[in-house]
Amino acid sequence: SVCWGPDGKLATSSSGFASTPAALSVWRLEDGKLTAGPSVCAPALPSKPLQVRWPRKSEKFVSGHEGGEICLWNSSCELLKKVQPHTARVIGIQLSIDSEMVVSASLDMTARVFKISDLKERACFTVDRPLNDAAMFPVDNDRAPIEVLCAGGQDARDVAISNVSTKGQFDIVVLEEGTKEPLLTFGG
């Protein structure tokens, strides 16, 4: 996963494919030129980083990991906060439009929403399928119910390897905080 930092002056990458060691790196750029880096977050990694996102106007970034962890880092690769809300890989993380919250999607069949400032969980959504990604509908305030758009049903790696039709095995689900049933399910 790769991600631009605020104002295009920082870039972040995560790696750890196959047997290569896990790495999370930050580079500093100025006028399109590399000025420093990489800073490597490896000593503090809880497990392989699979996704990384950098909120707008922030010196902090968020990563999702193979072991189910969500981590908050500063631009010098110092681990600021780690939570382990998931029991399986975090396949996708996406930011809210205002960059105040992050939603994570996991193979443990949950999507979870956190405040970025302290990684405090705001909402948890459970579905009947492993999730590959999730996105959040914009919310105007802390009291508004959160709606998430989740995609999943089969691990994307399994789809690529098996060469089997995914009809009926991969769906998109719309969920709202406080409701037990999906608002809408489509795809297949």
Side-chain angles (χ1 to χ4, degrees), residues 69-135:
E69 304 93 353
I70 304 289
C71 296
L72 181 65
W73 307 86
N74 67 18
S75 62
S76 299
C77 280
E78 294 173 298
L79 180 62
L80 302 175
K81 177 96 177 177
K82 176 183 84 167
V83 294
Q84 184 154 7
H86 295 286
T87 58
R89 288 194 310 264
V90 175
I91 299 298
I93 59 174
Q94 301 294 334
L95 300 175
S96 60
I97 289 174
D98 63 4
S99 290
E100 296 291 321
M101 292 188 273
V102 62
V103 61
S104 59
S106 173
L107 295 182
D108 69 2
M109 299 190 243
T110 64
R112 296 174 185 264
V113 178
F114 304 89
K115 296 281 278 179
I116 288 180
S117 59
D118 58 6
L119 291 186
K120 182 177 179 184
E121 189 171 299
R122 166 87 196 271
C124 176
F125 301 90
T126 303
V127 295
D128 62 353
R129 65 200 74 216
L131 294 175
N132 298 81
D133 210 352

Side-chain angles (χ1 to χ4, degrees), residues 41 52 83 92 141 149 153 161 176:
C41 309
V52 61
V83 294
N141 61 59
L149 184 67
I161 293 169
E176 183 177 70

